[in-house]
C-alpha cells in the first residue's frame, strides 16, 4: 500500500505541546522562526495539564532564597548527578519562566508586600525554603496558558493527532552524530506521512511512564517517543535509570490504580508508613523525598512485608485523631492537594477518607529525570564529562521531561512546571538561533529510508497485535526495571525485550491510512521497547542504589563516592533496531562545606519532627493547631468549581 | 456485562457487542475500563482517546446512549451503547476530529493586548472558567456549533476542520469570556474578544435553553449570559454575524 507523503518546510519543529513544547514554540516564533508544533494528543493535553499545579518560584517568600540555595537544593536531592550548569540555569530563570505562564493568563493570588505570588507555607520535601506556588484549578490553569501560547497568535503552525516517527539525520559517519535535516510525522487525522524539512527539532514530548501503565499517574502519551527517536538518531541519553516513582498512589479499585493520593508533605507532622503487620517502616514522612518513601515501600514488599496490593500503609490517623488540630489537618489535606484528595475521596472507604483508617498505597511512575543529554541552551551534547554540543546531534534540542540532567536522581515537588518553561524557552531560542545559522536543509536523502520503513508497516502481514505486545512489555517493565531492581531482573528484562522486538517484527497492521490504530500501537511499542533498552542498560551501569534507582541486591551509593551519570549511546543497526551502550560521565561533587550545611539543616528539621511526636497529646495538640492556622490562613478553601468536583454535571462517578 | 461499542474502520461503521468481565464482584466499571479491557482482549486495534484516567485532561469524551460522557469517570450499565461523540466528525472507532474547534480561535485572541503588569489578581469568575478541561461535552445540543454542519449535511464529513470551524461553540465562547475577565487584558482586548464572539455566531444563543458543561461550569450564566449582556443590541437583526 502507498500512503501519501506531504513535504513541508520549517525552521523549527517542536515535538509536544505541554508546558515545554508551548514555551519552546513561543520562544522560537518570537525569534522569527517558522515553527511547526507536532502533538499526538490535542494541544496542551499533557502532564502539565493534569499536574497538581504547583510551581517552584525562587524568592517568593524571602530574598534569602538565593540562586545558590535553589541550585544546591536540586543538586543535593539529585545526589550530585544534576549538572551544575543546568541547575544554575534553573535557579536563574525560575521567575521569568513563571512569568511566562502569567503572560499567557495564569493568575495567582498576589502578595502585595513582595509584589508576586504567595508560596505554600510548608516547604515541600527537599526544598530548604518555601517556594512552591499553588493555583486554582491546578494544572488545568497552566494548560490554558500553554494552549493560548500555541493557538492565540496564529504565529505557530501545529498538527495534532500527529505522531513524530523519526528524526531525519544527515552526515552521520564514523560513529559521530550528524545533523538534523527534519523529521517524519504520521498525521493520523488526515492519514498522511508528513516529511518536515527543518534544521532544528525541539523534543518536548514528555517522559516514559506509560512503560509502567497502569502503575502511573501521568498521561497515556508518555511512551518515550522523544528519547527513542533521539537515541535512534545517535544522540546521547543521560540518567535513564532514574525514573521517579511517587510513593503514595492507589493499588485499588482497578479504575484508580496508580493514581496519586498524596505527597510526603501531605502526610503532615504525624504521618508514618507501615508494613502489613503495622510496623513503622518510615517516620517523619513529610520531610522525606519521594524517592526515600518509594524505596521504603518497595524494600518492605521485597521482604514479604508488603500489603496484598503490593504496597504499604500510609497511616495519617495520628494527625486526624487530635481533637483540635485534627480539624486543621483535614482542612490542610483537602486544600493543599485538592485533586489528589478528590481521587482519595472517590476511591477509598469513608473511614479512610476521614483518616480514621490507613490508606493502602504503592509507588507509581510519575516523572523521568533522565532524558536527552543537553547543555544549558537545551542543545544535544556528547563526549565525556559535561559533554559538548560539538559532539552532540547538531540541531537537536530538548526541554521538559524529554531532557535529562537537571534533576539527577530525584526531582523535588513543584519543580517540573518551572523546569519545562525554563528549558522550553531556552531550547526554543537555541533552536531558532541554530536554524538561522543553518538556513539550508541538510537534504532529502535522509528522509527516504524513513518513509520507506513507515510505509512498509501499512498493510504489514503478521500474527501479532502491537497493542497486546505493549501490555506484555508494561507488565514486565514493572517487575524488572520498575521501582525495585536486581541484576537478575535486568537480565530477565533483556530477554523480554528481545522476544517482544522479535514479535513486533510480525505485527499485523491493516493497510488504510486514516487513523490506523494498529500502526499507532506499533509506533508506540517501538518507542517503549527502545526506552526499555535504554533504562535497562543504564540500570546495569549504575551498580548501586541512588535516588529513583533502587537495587535490592546492592547497597546505597556512598556520599563519599565520586558521583557519575550514566550515558546511553544509541546506534541503529540493520533493520532499524536500536543498539545501546551505557558509559559513565563524571560529575563534580558539591563543595563539602555546602553539602554539610544542607545536611545539618535537614537533620535538624528531622530531629525537631521526631521530638514533636514524643510530646503527650495534650501538649502536642495546641502546638499543631497553631501551626495549621498559620499554614492555612483565614480564607484558604478549595475552589468552588474544579475538574471532577462535586458540581460536575456530566460524569457522575463520585456520587 | 453486555456493552455495545460502535466501531468505524476505514469508513465502515458497525456495532460490536462486547461482553465485559467484571474484575470483582458487583463492579460498576467506568466506560474507560470497558474500552481498555476490550482492547486487551477481543478488539486489540480499538481506537479511542484517553489520557489521565482522572478527569483532568479532557480527551476521552464519548457518547453513551447518545449523551456525552467523560469515559474515565462515568460508569456504564449492562446494555449501554458507547459511540463516538456525535458532534464532531469520526476518524476511527471512538476517535473524533477535535482540532476544528481550537483552530477557529487562532488569531482571535492575540497576546498583544496584555497589560505588562502581571501582579493583578483575577476575579473569582475568571477562575471558574479556567476549570474548563476542554472535554467538548458542551457541543451537545449547541445550535451555534450545529450551523457548521447544516449547510450541506451530505458533505459534512470534515467541514473546515483543518482551518477551524466557521461557527462557534460554548468552549470557544468560554475562552473569549475568560479574556474579558482577565485583569491584564486591555479594554481593546476585551472588545476584540466580544467582537470575536459575535462573529462566531453569538446570536444563536439568544433564546437558547443553555448548554451543559462536562465539569460543572455555569456556561449559561457565566459565559453566554455575560456575553449576551455585553453584546446588547448588537445582536438585533440578523446581519451581525454574517460573513
Amino acid at each position: 500500500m502507498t500512503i501519501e507523503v506531504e513535504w513541508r518546510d520549517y525552521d523549527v519543529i517542536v515535538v509536544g505541546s505541554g508546558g515545554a513544547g508551548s514555551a519552546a514554540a513561543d520562544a522560537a516564533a518570537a525569534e522569527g522562526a517558522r515553527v511547526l508544533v507536532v502533538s499526538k494528543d490535542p494541544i496542551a493535553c499533557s502532564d502539565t495539564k493534569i499536574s497538581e499545579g504547583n510551581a517552584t518560584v525562587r524568592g517568593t517568600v524571602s530574598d534569602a532564597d538565593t540562586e545558590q540555595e535553589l541550585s544546591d537544593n536540586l543538586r543535593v536531592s539529585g545526589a550530585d548527578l544534576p549538572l551544575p550548569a543546568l541547575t544554575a540555569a534553573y535557579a536563574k530563570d525560575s521567575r521569568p519562566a513563571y512569568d511566562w505562564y502569567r503572560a499567557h493568563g495564569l493568575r495567582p493570588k498576589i502578595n502585595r508586600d513582595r509584589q508576586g505570588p504567595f508560596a505554600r507555607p510548608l516547604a515541600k520535601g527537599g526544598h530548604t525554603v518555601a517556594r512552591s506556588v499553588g493555583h486554582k484549578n491546578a494544572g488545568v490553569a497552566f494548560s490554558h496558558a500553554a494552549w493560548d501560547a500555541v493557538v492565540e497568535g496564529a504565529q505557530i503552525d501545529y498538527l495534532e493527532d500527529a505522531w513524530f516517527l523519526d528524526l531525519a539525520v544527515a552526515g552521520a559517519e564514523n560513529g559521530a552524530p550528524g545533523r538534523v535535516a527534519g523529521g517524519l510525522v504520521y498525521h493520523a487525522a488526515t492519514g498522511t506521512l508528513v516529511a518536515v524539512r527543518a534544521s532544528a527539532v525541539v523534543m518536548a514530548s514528555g517522559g516514559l511512564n506509560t512503560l509502567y501503565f497502569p502503575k502511573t499517574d501521568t498521561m497515556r502519551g508518555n511512551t518515550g517517543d522523544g528519547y527513542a527517536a533521539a537515541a535512534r538518531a545517535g544522540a546521547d541519553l543521560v540518567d535513564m535509570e532514574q525514573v521517579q516513582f511517587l510513593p503514595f498512589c492507589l493499588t485499588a479499585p482497578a479504575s484508580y490504580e496508580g493514581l496519586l493520593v498524596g505527597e510526603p508533605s501531605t502526610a503532615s507532622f504525624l504521618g508514618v508508613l507501615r508494613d502489613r503487620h503495622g510496623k513503622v517502616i518510615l517516620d517523619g514522612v513529610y520531610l522525606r523525598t519521594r524517592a526515600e518513601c518509594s524505596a521504603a515501600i518497595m524494600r518492605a514488599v521485597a521482604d514479604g512485608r508488603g500489603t496484598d496490593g503490593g504496597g504499604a500503609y500510609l497511616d495519617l490517623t495520628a494527625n486526624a485523631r487530635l481533637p483540635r488540630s485534627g480539624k486543621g489537618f483535614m482542612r490542610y489535606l483537602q486544600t493543599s492537594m485538592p485533586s489528589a484528595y478528590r481521587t482519595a475521596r472517590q476511591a477509598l472507604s469513608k473511614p479512610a477518607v476521614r483518616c480514621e483508617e490507613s490508606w493502602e498505597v504503592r509507588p507509581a511512575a510519575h516523572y523521568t529525570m533522565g532524558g536527552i543529554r543537553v547543555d544549558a541552551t537545551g542543545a544535544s551534547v556528547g563526549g565525556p564529562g559535561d559533554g559538548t554540543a560539538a559532539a552532540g546531534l547538531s540541531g537537536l534540542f530538548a526541554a521538559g521531561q524529554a531532557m535529562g540532567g537537571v534533576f539527577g536522581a530525584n526531582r523535588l515537588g513543584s519543580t517540573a512546571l518551572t523546569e519545562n518553561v525554563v528549558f522550553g524557552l531556552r531550547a526554543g531560542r537555541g533552536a531558532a538561533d541554530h536554524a538561522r545559522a543553518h538556513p539550508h536543509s541538510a537534504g532529502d536523502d535522509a528522509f527516504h529510508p524513513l518513509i520507506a520503513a513507515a510505509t512498509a508497516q501499512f498493510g504489514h502481514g503478521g500474527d501479532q497485535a502491537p497493542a497486546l505486545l505493549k501490555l506484555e512489555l508494561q507488565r514486565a517493565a514493572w517487575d524488572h526495571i520498575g521501582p525495585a531492581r536486581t541484576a537478575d531482573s535486568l537480565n530477565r528484562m533483556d530477554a523480554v525485550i528481545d522476544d517482544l522486538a522479535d514479535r513486533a517484527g510480525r505485527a499485523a497492521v491493516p493497510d488504510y491510512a486514516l487513523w490506523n490504530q494498529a500502526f499507532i500501537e506499533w509506533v508506540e511499542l517501538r518507542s517503549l521497547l527502545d526506552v526499555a533498552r535504554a533504562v535497562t542498560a543504564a540500570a546495569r551501569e549504575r551498580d548501586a542504589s541512588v535516588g529513583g534507582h533502587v537495587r535490592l541486591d546492592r547497597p546505597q551509593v556512598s556520599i563519599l563516592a565520586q558521583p557519575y551519570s550514566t550515558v546511553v549511546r544509541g546506534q541503529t543497526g540493520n533493520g532499524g533496531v536500536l543498539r545501546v551502550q551505557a558509559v559513565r560521565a563524571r560529575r563534580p561533587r558539591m563543595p563539602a562545606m555546602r553539602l554539610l550545611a544542607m545536611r545539618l539543616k535537614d537533620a535538624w528539621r528531622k530531629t525537631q519532627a521526631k521530638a514533636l511526636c514524643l510530646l503527650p497529646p495534650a501538649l502536642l495538640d495546641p502546638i499543631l493547631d497553631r501551626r495549621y492556622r498559620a499554614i492555612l490562613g483565614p480564607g484558604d478553601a478549595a475552589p468552588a468549581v474544579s475538574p471532577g468536583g462535586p458540581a460536575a454535571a456530566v460524569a457522575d462517578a463520585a456520587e | 456485562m453486555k456493552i455495545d461499542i460502535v466501531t468505524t474502520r476505514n469508513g465502515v461503521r458497525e456495532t460490536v457487542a462486547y461482553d465485559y468481565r467484571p474484575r470483582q464482584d458487583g463492579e460498576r466499571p467506568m466506560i474507560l475500563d470497558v474500552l481498555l479491557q476490550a482492547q486487551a482482549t477481543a478488539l486489540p486495534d480499538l481506537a479511542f482517546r484517553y489520557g489521565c484516567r482522572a478527569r483532568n485532561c479532557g480527551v476521552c469524551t464519548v457518547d453513551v446512549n447518545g449523551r456525552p460522557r467523560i469515559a474515565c469517570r462515568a460508569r456504564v450499565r449492562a446494555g449501554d451503547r458507547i459511540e463516538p461523540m456525535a458532534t464532531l466528525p469520526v476518524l476511527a472507532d471512538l476517535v473524533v476530529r477535535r482540532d476544528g474547534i481550537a483552530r477557529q480561535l487562532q488569531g482571535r485572541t492575540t497576546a498583544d493586548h496584555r497589560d505588562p503588569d502581571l501582579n493583578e489578581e483575577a476575579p473569582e469568575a475568571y477562575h471558574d472558567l479556567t476549570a474548563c478541561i476542554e472535554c467538548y461535552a458542551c457541543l451537545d445540543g449547541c445550535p451555534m456549533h450545529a450551523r457548521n454542519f447544516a449547510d450541506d449535511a451530505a458533505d459534512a464529513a470534515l467541514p473546515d476542520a483543518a482551518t477551524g470551524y466557521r461557527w462557534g461553540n460554548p468552549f470557544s465562547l468560554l475562552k473569549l469570556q475568560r479574556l474579558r475577565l482577565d485583569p491584564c487584558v486591555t479594554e481593546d482586548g476585551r472588545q476584540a474578544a466580544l467582537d470575536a464572539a459575535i462573529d462566531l455566531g453569538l446570536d444563536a444563543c439568544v433564546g437558547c435553553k443553555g448548554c451543559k458543561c462536562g465539569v460543572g461550569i455555569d456556561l449559561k450564566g457565566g459565559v453566554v449570559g455575560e456575553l449576551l449582556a455585553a453584546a446588547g443590541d448588537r445582536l438585533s437583526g440578523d446581519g451581525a454575524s454574517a460573513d
Side-chain angles (χ1 to χ4, degrees):
Chain A
M1 122 114 205
T2 52
I3 177 168
E4 208 174 302
V5 180
E6 180 194 347
W7 290 83
R8 292 200 188 191
D9 292 278
Y10 286 92
D11 297 317
V12 175
I13 305 170
V14 176
V15 186
S17 65
S22 56
D26 188 45
E31 298 281 322
R34 297 167 302 161
V35 179
L36 178 70
V37 173
V38 175
S39 181
K40 62 183 186 179
D41 277 312
I43 296 300
C45 292
S46 64
D47 281 358
T48 295
K49 183 173 187 175
I50 68 167
S51 70
E52 288 291 329
N54 294 309
T56 295
V57 186
R58 187 184 62 78
T60 332
V61 167
S62 131
D63 293 336
D65 182 11
T66 60
E67 289 183 25
Q68 182 90 69
E69 183 83 5
L70 173 52
S71 178
D72 284 358
N73 281 183
L74 297 178
R75 289 180 64 193
V76 168
S77 64
D80 267 348
L81 269 54
L83 273 179
L86 299 190
T87 58
Y90 182 103
K92 181 165 177 276
D93 288 2
S94 79
R95 183 61 182 260
Y98 181 69
D99 285 348
W100 179 86
Y101 282 117
R102 296 211 286 164
H104 292 93
L106 184 71
R107 299 280 169 261
K109 267 169 75 175
I110 300 298
N111 178 353
R112 289 289 160 211
D113 293 339
R114 293 191 59 78
Q115 281 303 303
F118 285 97
R120 291 199 183 280
L122 275 191
K124 285 185 173 265
H127 289 277
T128 51
V129 183
R131 49 166 94 95
S132 301
V133 178
H135 297 84
K136 290 202 165 142
N137 300 316
V140 177
F142 286 76
S143 78
H144 278 274
W147 190 100
D148 285 8
V150 174
V151 174
E152 67 187 356
Q155 307 287 319
I156 297 167
D157 281 356
Y158 65 86
L159 291 176
E160 52 183 61
D161 300 334
W163 274 255
F164 188 88
L165 302 179
D166 268 300
L167 286 159
V169 174
E173 51 194 31
N174 303 329
R179 65 189 180 102
V180 167
L184 185 66
V185 174
Y186 171 54
H187 189 211
T190 55
T192 48
L193 290 176
V194 186
V196 189
R197 300 182 191 98
S199 51
V201 173
V202 180
M203 286 294 178
S205 45
L208 56 69
N209 304 315
T210 298
L211 186 55
Y212 305 100
F213 186 86
K215 295 171 179 67
T216 166
D217 71 326
T218 64
M219 288 292 281
R220 184 215 69 83
N222 284 299
T223 50
D225 305 349
Y227 311 131
R232 285 196 298 268
D236 282 0
L237 307 178
V238 69
D239 296 332
M240 288 304 287
E241 80 282 8
Q242 293 296 342
V243 179
Q244 180 168 74
F245 291 86
L246 282 182
F248 307 143
C249 299
L250 291 169
T251 60
S255 310
Y256 292 81
E257 186 180 359
L259 297 185
L260 176 71
V261 287
E263 283 272 33
S265 65
T266 57
S268 200
F269 305 108
L270 305 176
V272 295
L273 271 173
R274 296 180 189 276
D275 67 10
R276 70 176 298 141
H277 308 299
K279 187 166 169 271
V280 172
I281 56 176
L282 196 70
D283 59 10
V285 166
Y286 78 108
L287 295 174
R288 310 282 182 170
T289 63
R290 293 163 167 178
E292 282 179 273
C293 297
S294 288
I297 296 170
M298 293 317 293
R299 286 183 191 283
V301 171
D303 288 353
R305 294 183 288 123
T307 61
D308 291 344
Y313 293 112
L314 175 61
D315 181 358
L316 307 177
T317 57
N319 291 306
R321 200 181 302 129
L322 293 170
R324 275 169 64 188
S325 63
K327 292 188 187 70
F329 164 73
M330 288 307 294
R331 208 152 70 84
Y332 164 69
L333 184 66
Q334 288 156 14
T335 55
S336 67
M337 289 188 69
S339 63
Y341 186 72
R342 195 162 43 240
T343 300
R345 206 174 52 203
Q346 290 174 11
L348 298 173
S349 72
K350 287 203 165 67
V353 171
R354 291 193 297 263
C355 296
E356 294 159 10
E357 291 175 2
S358 297
W359 300 0
E360 188 180 0
V361 293
R362 182 179 60 199
H366 179 67
Y367 192 89
T368 315
M369 274 81 72
I372 297 170
R373 191 179 176 210
V374 295
D375 64 17
T377 69
S380 161
V381 299
D386 291 5
T388 61
L393 176 54
S394 174
L396 177 66
F397 294 78
Q401 264 190 96
M403 70 168 267
V406 67
F407 296 127
N410 184 41
R411 183 176 72 70
L412 300 180
S414 85
T415 49
L417 287 176
T418 307
E419 184 276 338
N420 58 16
V421 173
V422 167
F423 290 99
L425 295 175
R426 283 169 172 258
R429 285 184 207 117
D433 286 348
H434 181 91
R436 207 175 292 131
H438 301 84
H440 300 294
S441 162
D444 293 351
D445 289 353
F447 287 89
H448 298 311
L450 303 177
I451 292 169
T455 305
Q457 281 303 314
F458 288 88
H460 191 272
D463 58 354
Q464 299 288 325
L468 303 187
L469 300 181
K470 213 166 154 186
L471 293 173
E472 280 189 49
L473 178 61
Q474 288 161 335
R475 282 191 291 271
W478 175 263
D479 289 342
H480 303 324
I481 53 172
R485 302 157 182 178
T486 64
D488 269 358
S489 77
L490 298 178
N491 291 337
R492 281 201 291 273
M493 194 66 211
D494 281 337
V496 169
I497 292 168
D498 288 343
D499 172 54
L500 289 171
D502 183 49
R503 287 156 66 198
R506 291 186 274 132
V509 180
D511 68 356
Y512 55 86
L514 183 69
W515 198 291
N516 186 323
Q517 187 68 30
F519 178 75
I520 291 168
E521 298 289 344
W522 177 82
V523 167
E524 293 188 343
L525 171 66
R526 184 178 67 144
S527 291
L528 287 169
L529 281 168
D530 287 346
V531 295
R533 286 184 175 99
V535 171
T536 308
R540 187 174 282 120
E541 187 62 30
R542 170 73 63 194
D543 60 0
S545 293
V546 61
H549 172 67
V550 176
R551 282 284 298 259
L552 295 174
D553 56 346
R554 292 291 169 90
Q556 193 70 24
V557 70
S558 160
I559 60 162
L560 299 173
Q562 170 67 45
Y564 67 90
S565 276
T566 61
V567 172
V568 170
R569 292 201 175 132
Q571 202 183 353
T572 305
N574 287 339
V577 174
L578 176 71
R579 308 212 164 278
V580 295
Q581 186 202 352
V583 296
R584 297 181 182 189
R586 285 167 66 99
R587 291 285 186 256
R589 211 189 335 233
M590 173 164 319
M593 287 313 288
R594 291 222 304 274
L595 183 64
L596 191 66
M598 288 246 164
R599 294 210 178 240
L600 279 176
K601 218 186 257 184
D602 193 46
W604 173 236
R605 292 194 333 148
K606 282 178 180 148
T607 308
Q608 282 179 307
K610 274 225 165 89
L612 196 68
C613 299
L614 297 175
L615 293 175
L619 284 176
L620 183 59
D621 197 18
I623 293 175
L624 294 186
D625 189 47
R626 277 197 297 279
R627 287 201 183 179
Y628 285 121
R629 281 175 200 281
I631 289 169
L632 291 165
D636 193 358
V641 176
S642 54
V650 171
D652 56 358
E655 62 270 74
Chain B
M1 183 189 283
K2 290 264 197 289
I3 310 279
D4 282 343
I5 302 174
V6 175
T7 65
T8 303
R9 302 283 166 79
N10 203 16
V12 181
R13 189 177 166 99
E14 59 182 304
T15 301
V16 178
Y18 180 70
D19 194 7
Y20 180 81
R21 293 177 51 189
R23 294 166 293 186
Q24 61 228 37
D25 284 347
E27 185 194 9
R28 293 173 55 214
M30 309 291 180
I31 300 165
L32 182 59
D33 294 325
V34 174
L35 301 178
L36 286 170
Q37 191 186 86
Q39 189 187 47
T41 55
L43 298 168
D45 295 346
L46 185 67
F48 54 99
R49 296 181 192 271
Y50 69 103
C52 66
R53 302 183 294 144
R55 208 206 273 165
N56 282 327
C57 75
V59 304
C60 66
T61 317
V62 294
D63 280 1
V64 173
N65 306 330
R67 282 281 167 272
R69 293 283 182 268
I70 296 174
C72 65
R73 283 291 171 270
R75 300 186 195 275
V76 283
R77 294 184 178 79
D80 279 353
R81 181 178 174 83
I82 305 174
E83 291 174 273
M85 267 193 284
T87 46
L88 290 168
V90 178
L91 290 170
D93 297 346
L94 303 166
V95 176
V96 293
R97 183 152 187 185
R98 293 173 45 118
D99 66 342
I101 302 294
R103 283 188 195 280
Q104 71 181 194
L105 289 173
Q106 273 191 296
R108 289 186 189 268
T109 56
T110 84
D112 300 341
H113 296 299
R114 303 286 185 190
D115 185 321
D117 179 14
L118 297 172
N119 288 323
E120 301 225 36
E121 282 188 16
E124 209 46 48
Y126 180 85
H127 298 297
D128 289 347
L129 303 193
T130 58
C132 169
I133 62 169
E134 205 182 345
C135 69
Y136 293 167
C138 60
L139 304 183
D140 185 41
C142 173
M144 192 192 308
H145 177 65
R147 287 179 181 175
N148 293 304
F149 303 85
D151 296 342
D152 187 5
D155 189 32
L158 293 170
D160 301 323
T163 51
Y165 292 127
R166 168 67 188 86
W167 303 105
N169 55 76
F171 165 77
S172 291
L173 296 184
L174 176 142
K175 285 298 248 189
L176 294 167
Q177 174 61 13
R178 173 174 158 269
L179 282 180
R180 297 185 65 248
L181 291 169
D182 186 340
C184 297
V185 168
T186 61
E187 196 48 49
D188 282 353
R190 285 175 203 177
Q191 193 58 47
L194 179 61
D195 292 347
I198 291 170
D199 185 56
L200 287 173
L202 185 63
D203 59 298
C205 302
V206 177
C208 177
K209 66 178 167 34
C211 24
K212 194 162 182 181
C213 171
V215 294
I217 298 168
D218 175 16
L219 292 172
K220 189 173 185 192
V223 176
V224 175
E226 296 288 328
L227 287 167
L228 284 176
D233 49 14
R234 289 180 63 191
L235 294 178
S236 61
D238 58 2
S241 57
D243 272 321

